[in-house]
Amino acid sequence: CALSNTVSSWSQYEALLFVSFALQTIFKSIKILPVMFMGRVLKGTKYETAEYVEAGVITLGVTMFSLSKASWVAATPEYEFYGVCLLCLYVMADSFTSQWQSKVYKDYTVDSFQMMYGVNVSASIITCIALVFSGELTLAIEFLQYNPLALYYNIITAVCSSTGQFVIYYIIKRYGPVVFTIMMTTRQMLSIIISNYYFGHKMSIQSILGCVLVFGAILFSSYRQMHKKKEVSASK
């Protein structure tokens, strides 16, 4: 899962060179479908028909948003296609990561701190090897030497990321990867709203409708699962 997590992080950052932040964020919402697929393949998890319908509506909303040219910033169709391929790679790798971590939690006695330590140490080794073979390790060190403030920012980012990872791993262990995906998707939708307001970006009607479909499906899914939980608790 450290390897898949590294691949998902790289493809996510690389995609921003070719597509807009709004498109990347809304594209992440489609992750619920591959998460369900990975759960079926890796753990044999069975999902209700309603969950597949919700995933289909979210996929439709993401597709509508993606096809709206107002959401793109890339200059050529070739760059657009490459950016979408990177986003697809990110979605698949990230979906595998959460489901594989859930499988590890199920098969072994592992707590959140052990999972964080194993993934982060392994990911650090993989990243260092990649930097050495790409010849970018020296450049990264020189950059930090000439820009020491960047090291300070990196440390702050690392602390925030570690805190977020602890919460993520706990949610995956306690509630499962699908609930985690729904929560993250809600955050991503809010990010789009804040980003568009802050930077003054305009969205087409098609883009707005796509967002409404995605956000509506997420809210309905959350309500349905909460109602189902109450029914199970009441029957005990």
Side-chain angles (χ1 to χ4, degrees):
C1 57
L3 178 60
S4 61
N5 187 56
T6 303
V7 171
S8 67
S9 297
W10 173 83
S11 56
Q12 176 184 196
Y13 298 140
E14 186 74 9
L16 285 175
L17 297 174
F18 308 99
V19 299
S20 68
F21 170 78
L23 177 61
Q24 185 198 71
T25 303
I26 193 69
F27 205 92
K28 291 178 182 179
S29 303
I30 205 175
K31 193 169 61 177
I32 190 171
L33 196 58
V35 163
M36 294 169 66
F37 172 75
M38 290 294 180
R40 183 77 175 178
V41 172
L42 295 177
K43 301 187 299 181
T45 305
K46 294 183 178 180
Y47 300 100
E48 299 177 1
T49 303
E51 293 180 286
Y52 286 106
V53 172
E54 291 161 1
V57 173
I58 291 174
T59 303
L60 175 62
V62 173
T63 302
M64 291 178 62
F65 188 93
S66 302
L67 293 177
S68 173
K69 286 299 177 181
S71 64
W72 299 87
V73 296
T76 64
E78 291 79 11
Y79 282 165
E80 293 176 358
F81 177 75
Y82 182 62
V84 171
C85 288
L86 287 171
L87 290 177
C88 290
L89 177 62
Y90 159 74
V91 167
M92 294 303 297
D94 199 56
S95 300
F96 175 86
T97 300
S98 60
Q99 287 288 2
W100 188 262
Q101 287 172 341
S102 180
K103 178 178 171 61
V104 171
Y105 280 132
K106 183 179 179 181
D107 295 342
Y108 304 96
T109 305
V110 180
D111 61 30
S112 301
F113 288 109
Q114 291 171 328
M115 177 67 77
M116 284 180 62
Y117 178 79
V119 172
N120 290 334
V121 170
S122 302
S124 297
I125 294 173
I126 293 170
T127 304
C128 288
I129 293 174
L131 286 172
V132 169
F133 278 94
S134 64
E136 296 181 4
L137 181 60
T138 305
L139 294 176
I141 295 174
E142 289 180 354
F143 176 81
L144 293 177
Q145 288 177 339
Y146 284 101
N147 302 275
L149 189 60
L151 179 60
Y152 172 72
Y153 289 149
N154 283 337
I155 293 174
I156 294 177
T157 303
V159 172
C160 295
S161 179
S162 298
T163 305
Q165 281 186 21
F166 174 74
V167 176
I168 287 171
Y169 293 149
Y170 176 80
I171 291 173
I172 292 174
K173 183 178 182 179
R174 179 68 176 81
Y175 300 102
V178 174
V179 174
F180 163 71
T181 302
I182 292 172
M183 293 176 63
M184 292 298 291
T185 303
T186 304
R187 179 190 66 82
Q188 290 156 5
M189 295 300 297
L190 292 175
S191 297
I192 291 178
I193 296 173
I194 294 172
S195 175
N196 287 336
Y197 174 79
Y198 185 79
F199 294 103
H201 294 158
K202 293 183 179 180
M203 297 175 62
S204 65
I205 299 298
Q206 183 177 335
S207 298
I208 295 174
L209 183 57
C211 287
V212 169
L213 283 176
V214 173
F215 201 55
I218 292 169
L219 289 177
F220 177 77
S221 177
S222 301
Y223 170 78
R224 184 181 57 79
Q225 292 194 20
M226 197 163 54
H227 184 68
K228 183 179 178 182
K229 238 181 175 181
K230 288 182 179 179
E231 287 183 345
V232 172
S233 300
S235 63
K236 290 183 179 179

